[in-house]
Amino acid sequence: MEKAIPSEEIVLADQTLWHTDRQPAGCSHCRRVYLVAANYHGTDCPLCRKGILEAQPAYVRRAAPEKMLPFRITQKALLPIYERFVSGVWIKPEDFNPQSLLNNTRAVFWPLWLVDSDVSGPWQMSAGFDYQVESAREVYTDGRWHSQAQIETRLRWETRLGTLDTRVDNVITPALEEHENRMQMTGPYPLEKSHDFDASLLGGAFLELPDIPPETAWPLARPDIDKALTKICQEAAGAQHFRDFTMRARFGEQNWTEFFLPIYTTHYTDDEGQPQVLVINGETGTIRGPRLASRQRGGRIAGIIGAVAGGLLLLALLGLLLTVVFPPGALIAGVTGILGLAAGILAIVVAIWPGQWNRKQGGPRIAERP
Amino acid sequence: MSEDHIHTQPWSPPEGYHQVESRVPGVVVFAPEPEHAPDDQAVSYACPNCGANTAYDVAAGGVACEYCGYVAKVKTAQVGRFADDFEFTLETLSQARQGWGTQRQVLHCDSCGADLSISEGALTTVCAFCASNQVNVITSPQETLRPRFLIPFKIPPEETLPRAKAWLGKGWYHPDALRSNVIVRRFYGLYLPFWTFNAMVNAKWRAQIGYQQTERHYNASQKRWETRTRIVWKWESGQVNLTIDDLLISGSAPQHLSHRILGELNPFNLNELVAYSPDFLAGWQAQAYETTLPEAWEMGKKNIRELAKKACYQDMPSNQVRNFTMHADFSDESWRYILLPVYLAAYRYEGKVYQVMVNGQSGVVAGSKPVAWWKVWLAIAAILTPGTFLTLIGLPLALLGGLGILAIALGIILFVGGAIISINLYQHVRKSESN
């Protein structure tokens, strides 16, 4: 790690960075590292909600981030999102309600790398060119011929090769080990709306720091750089399609900068007392995370309904005995017996449903880290 | 994609590639060289031995020098009907190869307006279309498409005059002077432009088909059962698939070259198509197309759709048809621009120009010939005379009774039959006279 990240990139625990008042702090549980205002020291980690943020030195590039996508969704606008999210769950944990989720909400910016690099070298591809063909349709009706031209688009493949000497800019590359998981949690961002990094737009948000250094991220960047090069060569050849692109590339003058994307996180506590973290895309409002029902509450409610069912069945039994001396008592016995059976079935359903519901809750969850 | 940090040797494109326009700065793009690019170079036909002009020699099958006997075989491949064809792309004309690939010039005949492409140096010639020597040089049109394939001459020039003489001598209603050796002095070997078209056609038809039905009915007035036939019409539909293979359309303008005569030269055996080489044109004339590809394709489509219509009628279960409609969908249409060998001669007889052509591949002769009309009228008179005579004889006999009516009837029948024969003869003779 020391070899990958130069020592001058170490930022001490009490140092601020990027013209902000934020200092490095790490989670005692998941080891995620953030830049936070000093008054957030000692608060819950906004992503795992299991550890406390403690001041610590961090490996950070001192060069300011290049771009950011600010929050479009305000915290107030989260309430209806939470309401919709919660409404589908029948027997919820105590704090799985919109207001509680809103109270627990934290704003976080999470990082990507932007890679710039000089590229040169020979390339080759099969370039596909669309072309149009005129086909004929001759119609004979009422004793006369009518001609109709039909235009059809076809594809022609030709070899194109050559050399490239250019610079690719702002190729987006993962900066977190859990990048894929994070993208699944947030869904896509409208990256074309991003603009230059501006510390004044950070507000009270946590800045999550990269845990993949550039040297490690380089192999991850290559597929997207290759895609960018392919697109450049395709455009240069004037082709509409391509396949079998190969290039013997030489890279130089690389530049790595951060690109921050907005999320909100919140949580509720499940039956085991574990925090269940929800993630909301700060740009699109997409919310993802576990939507669990409470088996404990379900059990309690089922117990109450079961007791009522038992009472009703007892009454039904008494009514049945009463019929010996008072024949209309059969009616009471029948009614209470049916009600008792219905309540008993309801109790069973209430006891079983949370477990069944929870079993169906797949979907992405925030990555667990030791 | 590989990464090579120690790559030091400068990159150069493989052989057969040339640089093309790049739409992105910093990116150099190479594409394969177009096919037959060497043919774009001008070719000089001087004998490497003696420096005299060489020309394609039919008998030798190569470019030959008549002075020193030098012969060079033409480097080409017989492709036949498998010769490449081209789609009807919207950019076909701009993409098509242009020019003739050798130093040729177009001679414009002021007399009949024909354009002739001839070898460098032959600034004047006798126009093969009108026998006029009033020619002058104009610039070769750049939009001329390049021919890709041709059928070389197989009939030597010296065989053309005997064949033509034999052909001219045929037919009793032509002037006897046509049998003279001097009426046609010389044939010009000429590569004529043709378009060939291929297509698949799916023709769907719908029509009312009439079926004859025989039924019995009771005739109340006659008080008996009778049989009568009536046609029952039923809507029916069907489809036929046609494969059009190498439909030939002349690329010459009809006002310069008789399409009727050209049609009588068919068939050409397209299995003998070879890849175009300017060597075949050395010392020979070649005509650039005057009918453009879209114009020729329009003619081709008209022919094809009529073929499709005929096929639809053949698909029907009855000859009784009404309310016929059809849709002919073309697919896989393609074209070729080829040159076919034709010997052409024009001769004058009593101030009028006639064309004679010899198929340079098969030797078939066709053309137009003057008519000795006195022979024709004499023949027609001879044909009509028996009927007329018999009718005239029959008239007085009829007044006297007896066989007169029979003679008149026979006379009228002979006259009508003679008239029909005469009309056919007249049309046939007119056709042989016209270009």
Side-chain angles (χ1 to χ4, degrees):
Chain A
M1 187 65 91
E2 286 75 14
K3 189 182 176 187
I5 304 292
S7 59
E8 59 265 29
E9 300 290 347
I10 293 175
V11 177
L12 299 177
D14 57 350
Q15 286 183 317
T16 60
L17 200 65
W18 302 340
H19 310 295
T20 66
D21 59 350
R22 287 166 167 76
Q23 300 168 339
C27 172
S28 57
H29 177 78
C30 68
R31 303 295 176 195
R32 289 185 176 93
V33 182
Y34 305 88
L35 283 186
V36 298
N39 59 340
Y40 279 102
H41 288 164
T43 60
D44 291 346
C45 170
L47 283 164
C48 76
R49 303 291 175 129
K50 290 177 181 172
I52 301 297
L53 295 184
E54 296 168 343
Q56 68 165 61
Y59 294 113
V60 186
R61 294 176 65 82
R62 287 187 182 278
E66 186 172 346
K67 287 192 174 295
M68 67 184 297
L69 192 64
F71 282 94
R72 191 181 64 82
I73 307 284
T74 62
Q75 288 217 22
K76 280 183 186 173
L78 291 174
L79 194 59
I81 293 173
Y82 290 151
E83 283 171 348
R84 280 195 300 276
F85 188 74
V86 165
S87 65
V89 188
W90 183 25
I91 301 167
K92 300 182 278 285
E94 290 292 340
D95 65 344
F96 190 25
N97 62 72
Q99 194 55 51
S100 177
L101 292 175
L102 190 63
N103 293 340
N104 291 334
T105 299
R106 299 281 183 276
V108 179
F109 280 103
W110 65 281
L112 298 168
W113 285 119
L114 291 178
V115 189
D116 309 331
S117 177
D118 287 345
V119 192
S120 62
W123 59 271
Q124 181 169 346
M125 67 160 65
S126 281
F129 299 92
D130 286 334
Y131 65 99
Q132 291 187 310
V133 174
E134 188 177 297
S135 204
R137 182 170 218 229
E138 300 288 314
V139 178
Y140 183 83
T141 181
D142 297 330
R144 293 170 61 188
W145 285 102
H146 307 272
S147 297
Q148 299 167 355
Q150 316 272 315
I151 304 296
E152 184 187 330
T153 300
R154 293 185 187 168
L155 177 58
R156 181 181 66 247
W157 290 100
E158 291 178 11
T159 301
R160 290 289 184 274
L161 45 83
T163 57
L164 176 143
D165 187 1
T166 189
R167 183 167 181 79
V168 287
D169 284 325
N170 292 340
V171 176
I172 292 173
T173 303
L176 295 176
E177 297 279 3
E178 58 183 291
H179 178 86
E180 285 301 319
N181 170 266
R182 191 64 62 84
M183 286 305 295
Q184 284 179 8
M185 293 292 289
T186 61
Y189 284 91
L191 298 177
E192 68 281 359
K193 291 183 179 174
S194 65
H195 53 70
D196 292 345
F197 180 79
D198 182 353
S200 68
L201 295 175
L202 294 176
F206 296 72
L207 279 175
E208 188 180 4
L209 295 178
D211 58 10
I212 305 179
E215 288 77 359
T216 311
W218 175 240
L220 304 175
R222 280 300 303 273
D224 285 328
I225 290 177
D226 291 351
K227 258 187 223 169
L229 296 175
T230 305
K231 198 175 170 192
I232 289 170
C233 293
Q234 180 189 350
E235 193 183 336
Q240 289 79 45
H241 313 271
F242 74 92
R243 63 187 182 196
D244 304 332
F245 179 82
T246 57
M247 182 173 180
R248 204 166 53 194
R250 297 186 298 275
F251 296 94
E253 292 293 325
Q254 289 181 21
N255 184 35
W256 293 73
T257 50
E258 289 93 349
F259 177 18
F260 284 104
L261 300 175
I263 52 171
Y264 289 110
T265 66
T266 187
H267 78 282
Y268 62 91
T269 309
D270 65 12
D271 285 345
E272 283 76 39
Q274 294 298 314
Q276 297 294 332
V277 181
L278 309 178
V279 174
I280 303 97
N281 185 316
E283 174 64 32
T284 63
T286 303
I287 180 168
R288 295 216 172 101
R291 234 170 20 150
L292 301 181
S294 173
R295 278 181 294 178
Q296 286 180 358
R297 276 192 75 197
R300 282 200 298 272
I301 295 168
I304 293 167
I305 297 171
V308 172
L312 287 169
L313 288 173
L314 195 62
L315 271 177
L317 190 61
L318 288 173
L320 204 60
L321 291 173
L322 197 63
T323 52
V324 178
V325 291
F326 182 61
L331 184 65
I332 298 167
V335 170
T336 52
I338 290 167
L339 287 174
L341 278 173
I345 292 167
L346 182 63
I348 293 168
V349 169
V350 168
I352 291 173
W353 184 84
Q356 295 294 321
W357 168 268
N358 289 351
R359 213 165 284 141
K360 284 188 264 177
Q361 297 306 300
R365 297 177 182 219
I366 200 78
E368 278 291 333
R369 293 168 59 143
Chain B
M1 187 151 18
S2 66
E3 194 169 354
D4 180 3
H5 292 286
I6 53 169
H7 180 74
T8 52
Q9 288 184 342
W11 180 88
S12 59
E15 201 173 323
Y17 282 80
H18 73 300
Q19 190 170 346
V20 294
E21 181 196 6
S22 169
R23 300 184 185 186
V24 177
V27 184
V28 181
V29 183
F30 290 86
E33 294 276 5
E35 288 176 28
H36 308 301
D39 288 353
D40 286 335
Q41 307 291 322
V43 181
S44 169
Y45 288 98
C47 177
N49 290 341
C50 67
N53 279 338
T54 56
Y56 180 76
D57 186 292
V58 176
V63 176
C65 174
E66 62 179 315
Y67 298 100
C68 69
Y70 166 81
V71 176
K73 290 282 181 190
V74 179
K75 288 177 184 169
T76 187
Q78 183 163 325
V79 288
R81 290 179 184 271
F82 295 105
D84 288 343
D85 47 16
F86 305 93
E87 296 170 301
F88 283 91
T89 64
L90 297 186
E91 51 185 8
T92 288
L93 292 179
S94 61
Q95 282 191 342
R97 306 285 300 282
Q98 294 183 348
W100 289 88
T102 183
Q103 293 174 350
R104 304 189 72 79
Q105 292 169 305
V106 169
L107 300 186
H108 181 73
C109 176
D110 286 338
S111 178
C112 72
D115 286 338
L116 295 167
S117 178
I118 64 157
S119 302
E120 185 192 24
L123 298 177
T124 62
T125 186
V126 175
C127 176
F129 300 104
C130 67
S132 166
N133 60 1
Q134 299 173 47
V135 291
N136 56 28
V137 180
I138 62 169
T139 309
S140 180
Q142 284 302 304
E143 70 273 12
T144 302
L145 289 179
R146 179 194 186 86
R148 303 291 188 115
F149 307 99
L150 57 80
I151 294 178
F153 279 93
K154 284 180 77 177
I155 304 294
E158 54 272 20
E159 284 188 25
T160 54
L161 284 175
R163 285 173 186 268
K165 190 183 173 192
W167 177 80
L168 284 165
K170 286 180 186 168
W172 56 266
Y173 46 81
H174 298 296
D176 295 335
L178 289 186
R179 293 180 179 83
S180 159
N181 278 335
V182 293
I183 195 80
V184 176
R185 294 172 189 276
R186 183 186 170 187
F187 274 92
Y188 295 90
L190 188 66
Y191 282 101
L192 291 179
F194 278 84
W195 303 99
T196 74
F197 297 110
N198 297 329
M200 306 284 284
V201 182
N202 173 250
K204 295 186 177 74
W205 61 265
R206 188 166 187 270
Q208 281 184 299
I209 308 293
Y211 293 94
Q212 285 192 344
Q213 275 194 355
T214 306
E215 58 185 16
R216 282 174 64 79
H217 72 108
Y218 185 72
N219 188 331
S221 59
Q222 300 283 330
K223 295 184 179 177
R224 66 179 183 192
W225 284 91
E226 292 180 345
T227 302
R228 70 182 175 192
T229 302
R230 70 185 186 100
I231 292 176
V232 178
W233 294 96
K234 290 182 183 174
W235 280 105
E236 292 192 13
S237 60
Q239 62 174 315
V240 292
N241 292 305
L242 289 181
T243 301
I244 306 297
D245 198 12
D246 289 322
L247 175 74
L248 270 180
I249 298 291
S250 170
S252 304
Q255 61 267 31
H256 298 146
L257 203 62
S258 166
H259 282 195
R260 176 191 69 79
I261 300 174
L262 219 44
E264 289 177 9
L265 291 182
N266 278 327
F268 285 93
N269 181 5
L270 297 184
N271 289 319
E272 293 184 356
L273 275 175
V274 299
Y276 171 84
S277 165
D279 291 357
F280 289 114
L281 272 61
W284 296 77
Q285 293 190 37
Q287 192 197 4
Y289 70 82
E290 295 164 304
T291 304
T292 63
L293 176 60
E295 291 167 346
W297 178 225
E298 279 305 314
M299 290 184 216
K301 278 194 291 189
K302 283 178 184 168
N303 289 351
I304 293 170
R305 70 192 188 189
E306 290 302 331
L307 288 172
K309 187 179 166 192
K310 194 175 167 188
C312 286
Y313 270 90
Q314 286 172 347
D315 189 44
M316 293 170 192
S318 166
N319 289 332
Q320 305 271 7
V321 179
R322 69 184 188 190
N323 293 324
F324 171 80
T325 59
M326 68 170 276
H327 292 72
D329 288 311
F330 289 51
S331 61
D332 294 334
E333 300 109 310
S334 59
W335 61 273
R336 284 192 211 105
Y337 177 29
I338 62 172
L339 297 176
L340 297 182
V342 172
Y343 287 103
L344 186 62
Y347 63 94
R348 288 178 183 273
Y349 186 82
E350 293 182 350
K352 195 176 173 187
V353 177
Y354 298 89
Q355 288 183 337
V356 188
M357 300 185 205
V358 178
N359 183 321
Q361 183 189 33
S362 66
V364 170
V365 184
S368 57
K369 290 190 266 192
V371 173
W373 281 105
W374 65 269
K375 293 183 182 177
V376 177
W377 294 128
L378 203 62
I380 289 174
I383 291 167
L384 294 177
T385 296
T388 309
F389 183 73
L390 208 54
T391 306
L392 290 174
I393 293 290
L395 281 172
L397 288 176
L399 293 174
L400 298 173
L403 292 173
I405 299 295
L406 187 63
I408 290 173
L410 193 60
I412 289 173
I413 290 169
L414 284 173
F415 185 83
V416 170
I420 292 170
I421 293 168
S422 299
I423 290 167
N424 280 332
L425 174 64
Y426 178 81
Q427 287 175 338
H428 183 70
V429 170
R430 287 290 295 180
K431 191 178 161 190
S432 74
E433 190 185 40
S434 64
N435 277 329

